[in-house]
Amino acid sequence: MIIEISRDYLRAEMEKVNAHPASFPIFERKADIILLKVFDVPSPGANVIKQEMLSLGGDAVVHKNAVDCKAEMSDIILMGTKKHYEALLNKLEKVNYFGLKKLREELDEYFKTKRPDHIESPWGRRITFESTRLMGIINVTPDSFFAGSRKEGLKEVLEAASDMVENGADILDIGGLSTRPGSEPVEEEEELKRVVPAIKAVRQEFPQIPISVDTYRARVAKEALDAGADIINDISGLQFDENLVKIVAEYKAPLVLMHIKGTPRDMQKNPHYGDVVKEIAEYFCERMEFAIASGARPEGIILDPGMGFGKSYEHNLEILSRLKEFKSLKKPLLIGASRKTFIGKALGDLPPEERLEGTLAVTALCALNDVDIVRVHDVKENRRVLALVEAVKCQRHS
């Protein structure tokens, strides 16, 4: 009999084989084949990398015309264990040609960078990421796409917050500006009137619950932070208000950088990408560089691919099937898919009110892929899904 074992259970299976415990870390390193893609390497350099990886026992995929340099540049898919990459970095130590110095620096930075295991608010509240966290949605709006999320008046806001906290929300996300497809923004004063009192009321009632404010406006962010909010959740990735990054830097506030193509008004008018994952990753790198250069704390940045924000049905599904690529950017990852249109389409064009089961499936998928935060409307149901998934995941380490 032959069976293929899961990498997650390698240590347990080695114990059953009665291998020497001192060998466990050695075999585990050999079992982790890491696939890395690097972009735009001169073809001579790509050929060097191909040969070096082969000599080390790894491999590399290059452009079919790289070998004779008929293609000027080549992307490269590297295949190797951590040991292979360490040896490759050593070999490239003194190489300064064919773009290989830059490649070495990028690889070195990749392996040295660790994903933050927590974020901390300006007020000392901390969110850790040893498991997937739940962000509950409270919309202080009359026009959000899911009617069940709309809260009018502080009584409804506090009732929703109480229910979410009781059922296991880790973060409450409060927004006063609908960003559904085709929506027009309300005036800043109206957004302030909706959001700030809601945050003050929730903070007074629930002193310890982390609160994020869903806004792209600097003034709203500032007043929300002063009212007790902890996190800025910006759908525009710091594009819509040039002053917002100054507030983030001044308060040292955690920041969600979301990807969006266009604006809420026009984002769903035939969105197109040559390579959706690559383009979102490039956007994240550029936006992080801007944020950090402007004073934002690198350890406080969270990335959100922006499900439904300038994405087709197929784009959304590809994002969910390739979460590992986004996690490789070494930042906490947030997915906000709750009751969105692509879920309804996958289930036969169901309306928002009938998309709960699809949302729960997405939450399970995210948890299995170690997504750090899922943003949801229905906290109790999603908490139960997470509890079961985490119970299964715990068996990997028991």
Side-chain angles (χ1 to χ4, degrees), residues 28-62:
E28 286 172 332
R29 283 164 60 87
K30 289 182 177 181
D32 279 329
I33 300 297
I34 304 167
L35 302 177
L36 298 180
K37 186 174 183 180
V38 295
F39 299 89
D40 299 325
V41 178
S43 282
N47 288 326
V48 171
I49 294 298
K50 171 79 171 178
Q51 294 307 311
E52 292 292 357
M53 286 298 283
L54 284 170
S55 73
L56 294 168
D59 209 336
V61 180
V62 300

Side-chain angles (χ1 to χ4, degrees), residues 5 24 36 47 58 95 129 178 200 227 287 293 329 354 376 397:
I5 65 170
F24 292 179
L36 298 180
N47 288 326
V95 175
F129 297 122
S178 175
K200 286 181 177 178
R287 290 286 83 197
L329 296 173
E354 297 183 44
V376 301
H397 312 292

Side-chain angles (χ1 to χ4, degrees), residues 34-41 61 74-79 85 103 106-107 110 275 278 322 325 328:
I34 304 167
L35 302 177
L36 298 180
K37 186 174 183 180
V38 295
F39 299 89
D40 299 325
V41 178
V61 180
S74 175
D75 297 340
I76 307 174
I77 300 173
L78 297 165
M79 304 176 178
Y85 286 110
L103 174 57
E106 290 180 348
L107 283 172
Y110 176 83
D275 182 334
K278 178 185 177 184
R322 299 180 68 182
E325 278 97 323
S328 73

